[in-house]
Amino acid sequence: MSPGLSSFLGSNGIGLGISSYQSGKFYLLGQNTDGGLLVDERFFRKAMGIAVPDKDTLLLATLFQIIRFKNVLGPDQQINNLYDACYVPRELFVTGELDAHDVGLLKDGRIVFVNTLFNCLATPSARHSFTPLWKPPFISKIVEEDRCHLNGLAMEDGVPRYVTAVSKSDTIDGWRDRRYDGGIVIDVATGEIVIGGLSMPHSPRMYCGKLYVLNSGRGELCWVEPAPKAADATLHVVAFCPGFVRGLGFHGRHAFVGLSKPRYERFEGLALDKKLADADSEPWCGVQVIDLETGAVAHWFRIDGAIGELYDVAVIPGVLRPMSLGFASNEVLGLITHDEMDESASF
């Protein structure tokens, strides 16, 4: 990591959440008490989209579940004499294997997620695997066929604003033939395409009134200047990152961008290959903290070894040393907390 990363997190009072479907890990990063980097990792099969509705709530999409975590610590409490937030799984929605990608929280408290296998936005159902909420107009029906590879979700004030898809294909697996320049951003409210010509876009986000998106197949962090016609919209490139970019969070004047090593048997032929060659660079896996005003990399966190692919990155405000509990250890059995007695309860 860059020498100043941990102190940057500490001075800004933030933690980071990172997911890797490849390793099945959910990572929480913060500044340790000695000033170094703290890394908490838990096993969740195919960890995917992360959402942080508030400092005490995390959402995580996994292989066949959507999980809502709650922080059980109060403002002045610690656990293990170290962590100032402990996120415990409190609600699990069993969806089956839907290839869920991004996730968010609606203003009525329901979870919304990108159901990639069925090409729609959905919410967990009390009875079934999911309830469809919205689909792109070019998708003719809700069917178990990943047609356009719907993946990213931009929320604003509890409302889905934009989604990304690799193409506007309406046939099974049709998106794979459109990876180079078939990518689109769609306005959820109108169903209109905001901008096209992207390469495998991911992680649309609204921040400070701007729509940001990762043009993944080109390794670019961008923002979109809309126009009355999608063909006239402008894609502004903030920075090039040496990897397949996926996962995007913000704090202050900085963007936190996830990078992955491309799987060339699936992603070969993208413009990223040439851009890496032109920069005399190899793709790497990790997170880059990019100054939105200059496009320069302010800090970075790199992962070498067997892990080569991340999915999402999220900023957790107001937390210095976060941890979570999973189901692969017995800690979740012994951590018992409860609310105050409800003296007004009646039966």
Side-chain angles (χ1 to χ4, degrees):
M1 65 178 180
S2 57
L5 176 63
S6 58
S7 60
F8 174 80
L9 296 176
S11 62
N12 283 278
I14 58 174
L16 282 184
I18 302 172
S19 63
S20 171
Y21 58 89
Q22 180 198 32
S23 65
K25 291 290 182 69
F26 176 48
Y27 305 91
L28 292 176
L29 275 60
Q31 185 183 32
N32 215 327
T33 52
D34 63 2
L37 187 68
L38 178 147
V39 180
D40 176 79
E41 63 178 73
R42 301 290 168 170
F43 177 71
F44 290 96
R45 292 178 66 189
K46 198 180 179 184
M48 292 286 285
I50 307 168
V52 186
D54 57 72
K55 69 179 291 292
D56 290 323
T57 307
L58 301 181
L59 306 176
L60 178 68
T62 67
L63 178 67
F64 65 97
Q65 297 172 324
I66 310 293
I67 304 172
R68 190 194 311 251
F69 296 79
K70 298 299 290 188
N71 174 27
V72 300
L73 300 185
D76 299 316
Q77 291 182 315
Q78 287 190 342
I79 192 168
N80 297 343
N81 296 314
L82 177 60
Y83 302 97
D84 62 351
C86 179
Y87 295 96
V88 179
R90 289 303 184 207
E91 289 185 289
L92 289 82
F93 300 93
V94 178
T95 62
E97 195 170 353
L98 300 176
D99 196 18
H101 277 59
D102 282 11
V103 63
L105 191 68
L106 298 172
K107 54 186 175 182
D108 64 5
R110 290 180 300 160
I111 292 172
V112 60
F113 64 94
V114 179
N115 184 339
T116 302
L117 183 60
F118 284 81
N119 312 284
C120 67
L121 295 182
T123 190
S125 167
R127 182 175 183 180
H128 299 291
S129 297
F130 66 94
T131 302
L133 298 179
W134 177 90
K135 66 177 179 64
F138 55 79
I139 294 295
S140 55
K141 59 182 177 178
I142 300 294
V143 62
E144 190 179 349
E145 298 177 358
D146 179 3
R147 296 180 171 188
C148 64
H149 206 67
L150 197 71
N151 55 48
L153 172 62
M155 299 288 296
E156 188 174 43
D157 299 325
V159 177
R161 288 290 311 278
Y162 301 98
V163 295
T164 48
V166 173
S167 75
K168 55 180 182 179
S169 305
D170 194 29
T171 58
I172 185 170
D173 216 35
W175 63 273
R176 293 190 192 276
D177 299 319
R178 300 290 182 267
R179 296 168 300 168
Y180 189 84
D181 61 1
I184 54 176
V185 177
I186 311 169
D187 186 318
V188 173
T190 66
E192 297 293 326
I193 294 174
V194 177
I195 192 168
L198 306 180
S199 180
M200 301 193 72
H202 283 80
S203 311
R205 303 286 186 261
M206 290 298 298
Y207 185 65
C208 294
K210 284 184 179 180
L211 169 60
Y212 287 86
V213 68
L214 296 178
N215 199 14
S216 306
R218 296 183 62 87
E220 297 169 340
L221 165 64
C222 309
W223 67 274
V224 178
E225 184 178 349
K229 295 182 179 180
D232 297 328
T234 305
L235 188 70
H236 297 270
V237 178
V238 178
F240 167 71
C241 304
F244 188 85
V245 286
R246 192 170 39 191
L248 179 61
F250 296 91
H251 182 78
R253 59 184 279 181
H254 293 95
F256 297 74
V257 180
L259 290 83
S260 296
K261 297 177 181 179
R263 287 169 286 162
Y264 285 109
E265 67 275 11
R266 176 173 294 183
F267 297 151
E268 62 187 358
L270 299 177
L272 178 59
D273 291 343
K274 185 177 187 306
K275 290 173 75 70
L276 286 168
D278 290 344
D280 194 22
S281 298
E282 294 295 324
W284 55 277
C285 173
V287 177
Q288 290 190 348
V289 184
I290 296 174
D291 188 317
L292 292 171
E293 297 181 11
T294 66
V297 178
H299 299 285
W300 52 268
F301 174 76
R302 182 168 178 168
I303 303 173
D304 289 318
I307 299 173
E309 298 178 47
L310 306 181
Y311 180 74
D312 210 354
V313 176
V315 174
I316 308 171
V319 173
L320 295 177
R321 295 178 296 279
M323 68 170 287
S324 68
L325 294 185
F327 306 115
S329 74
N330 289 332
E331 290 170 285
V332 74
L333 303 180
L335 180 60
I336 309 297
T337 62
H338 64 85
D339 293 310
E340 295 294 324
M341 173 76 77
D342 185 356
E343 302 290 353
S344 65
S346 60
F347 304 99

